[in-house]
Amino acid sequence: MNERKPPGIASWLLKRFGPSEQNQVLVGDLAEHYRSGRSRWWYWREVMIALSVGTLRETWQNRMMILLGLAVGWLMVKNLDPVIIRLFVPSPSVVRLIVAKVVIGFLFGFVLALLHRPRHIAPVMLLGASYIASTDLYRLYSPGVYIADAARVAAGSRPPMHLYTWLLWTSVDLLFVAAMIWAGTLTVRKPGERSEPLHR
Amino acid sequence: MVLLAVRRLGENAYGVPILRELEEHGRRMAVATVYATLDRLEAKGLVTSWFGEPTSERGGKAKRYFRLTARGVREARATQRVLTSLWADFTNLKGETT
C-alpha cells in the first residue's frame, strides 16, 4: 500500500472548514485518490473546490438558519462585546484589551457554532467576514482619509498617528475574528457522530 | 453521466471509483462537485446512499456508497430514449459543418 501522506495544511483546512455533512468521506476519498499517484497541486485544488462548494451549498440550503445565526452573532458582538470589555478592562490598557477581545471572540464563536451544529462553519465565517467588512473596511473607505494618508506615505511623508491606530484596531479585530473562527471549528462532530440517521 | 457511472460500478460505487469511471469516459470532475451532484440525485430519489466501514488506506475514513433506485433506473432509460431519438436526427446532418 502506498503510504504517501496528503499535504498537511490542506488536509487540516478541509477537516476544519469542509462541509460538515460528508467531510470524513471527502477526506477519505481525497486521501485514497492522492495515494494512487495524484499531485500535491491536484490535492490543493480539490480542497479549495470542496471548501468553496461546501460553504456555498450549506449557506444556500440553510439560508434562514444562517441568517438567524448572523443576527444572533451581530447581537452578541454589538451588545455583549462592549459590556464585557468595560467589565474586564476597567483601565485603558492595549494588552488587556487585546486579550479580552480574543477571549470574547473565542466565546462568541464557540456559542454560535454550538447553536448551529452540524452546519456551524458557514454562520461563523459569515459573521467574521461581515464584522471585518463593516468595521475595518468601513473605517478605511468611509471618510477616504486613510486612502489619502496612504498615498502621502507612499510619496515619502511620515505616516500620521491615526494610521497606526487604524492598523492596531484592525489587527485586534482580525485576532477577534480568528479566535471566533477557531472556536467555531472546535465544535466539529467526531467521526461517526451524526445528526441524521444513515439509510441503507 | 454520474447516474450512469453509479450504475456501471454496481456494488463498488463510491467517490473514487465514480471519479475514475468519469475520467475514463472523458469527463474530469472535482470530488466535491461529484458529491454535490449525487446529493441532488439522492434528494430527487434517483440514488440511495449508505456509509461503509472505515478503512486504513483512507486514513480511517468511511466510504459513502451509492446505488440507483428503481426510479433512477427508469429516469436513466427515459433519458436514453430521448437522447437516442435526438441523435437519430443527427445522422442526417452528415457532411454539414455548422
Side-chain angles (χ1 to χ4, degrees):
Chain A
M1 190 179 72
N2 187 353
E3 286 297 331
R4 202 159 69 110
K5 274 199 162 185
I9 297 172
S11 299
W12 181 84
L13 280 172
L14 184 60
K15 281 175 199 163
R16 284 287 173 206
F17 301 105
S20 358
E21 294 268 298
Q22 53 198 11
N23 209 6
Q24 297 297 320
V25 177
L26 252 176
V27 172
D29 277 342
L30 288 184
E32 191 181 333
H33 218 30
Y34 179 74
R35 286 187 181 122
S36 69
R38 295 289 177 152
S39 65
R40 292 173 73 84
W41 156 245
W42 173 85
Y43 192 88
W44 267 102
R45 192 184 66 107
E46 289 286 330
V47 168
M48 288 302 130
I49 293 173
L51 293 179
S52 322
V53 170
T55 307
L56 285 174
R57 285 191 70 214
E58 286 198 355
T59 306
W60 181 247
Q61 283 170 358
N62 310 286
R63 46 197 179 276
M64 287 314 290
M65 193 69 176
I66 283 165
L67 275 177
L68 188 70
L70 273 178
V72 170
W74 270 102
L75 280 175
M76 288 198 296
V77 168
K78 284 293 162 198
N79 297 312
L80 288 178
D81 183 29
V83 175
I84 298 171
I85 294 275
R86 246 179 274 129
L87 218 65
F88 291 101
V89 192
S91 57
S93 154
V94 174
V95 178
R96 269 195 203 172
L97 187 74
I98 291 171
V99 173
K101 283 290 266 188
V102 168
V103 172
I104 295 166
F106 186 89
L107 286 174
F108 284 179
F110 195 78
V111 170
L112 185 62
L114 213 58
L115 291 173
H116 290 83
R117 281 206 321 173
R119 299 168 186 92
H120 53 284
I121 294 297
V124 177
M125 297 276 268
L126 286 174
L127 176 65
S130 60
Y131 181 78
I132 291 291
S134 66
T135 53
D136 300 295
L137 294 184
Y138 174 77
R139 216 181 282 157
L140 179 66
Y141 286 108
S142 164
V145 173
Y146 295 100
I147 298 166
D149 286 340
R152 260 181 250 126
V153 173
S157 308
R158 264 176 71 102
M161 198 56 204
H162 56 252
L163 204 61
Y164 289 114
T165 317
W166 179 80
L167 273 175
L168 174 73
W169 289 124
T170 302
S171 309
V172 172
D173 287 339
L174 284 173
L175 275 173
F176 174 72
V177 169
M180 192 190 286
I181 292 172
W182 172 255
T185 65
L186 294 181
T187 65
V188 172
R189 284 180 192 280
K190 292 185 182 75
E193 190 191 350
R194 279 178 61 93
S195 56
E196 297 109 41
L198 304 182
H199 40 137
R200 179 163 195 160
Chain B
M1 281 186 86
V2 175
L3 205 66
L4 291 176
V6 171
R7 177 83 175 104
R8 283 171 68 96
L9 287 163
E11 289 295 304
N12 195 36
Y14 70 93
V16 176
I18 295 173
L19 212 65
R20 287 200 187 118
E21 185 72 21
L22 291 169
E23 279 176 10
E24 277 170 21
H25 290 88
R27 174 67 72 137
R28 281 206 148 192
M29 281 175 89
V31 182
T33 50
V34 170
Y35 276 113
T37 309
L38 285 165
D39 282 342
R40 273 204 304 275
L41 294 174
E42 191 171 29
K44 287 179 185 172
L46 304 181
V47 296
T48 182
S49 76
W50 68 95
F51 288 82
E53 290 299 312
T55 55
S56 58
E57 74 264 19
R58 294 166 56 85
K61 306 287 185 281
K63 293 171 183 171
R64 187 177 168 199
Y65 289 97
F66 293 88
R67 186 168 48 205
L68 251 69
T69 59
R71 197 175 155 198
V73 175
R74 278 200 305 275
E75 196 71 31
R77 286 201 180 120
T79 309
Q80 185 190 23
R81 273 195 297 276
V82 172
L83 286 174
T84 307
S85 69
L86 287 170
W87 276 103
D89 291 343
F90 205 73
T91 53
N92 301 330
L93 302 174
K94 224 173 187 178
E96 290 183 24
T97 51
T98 53

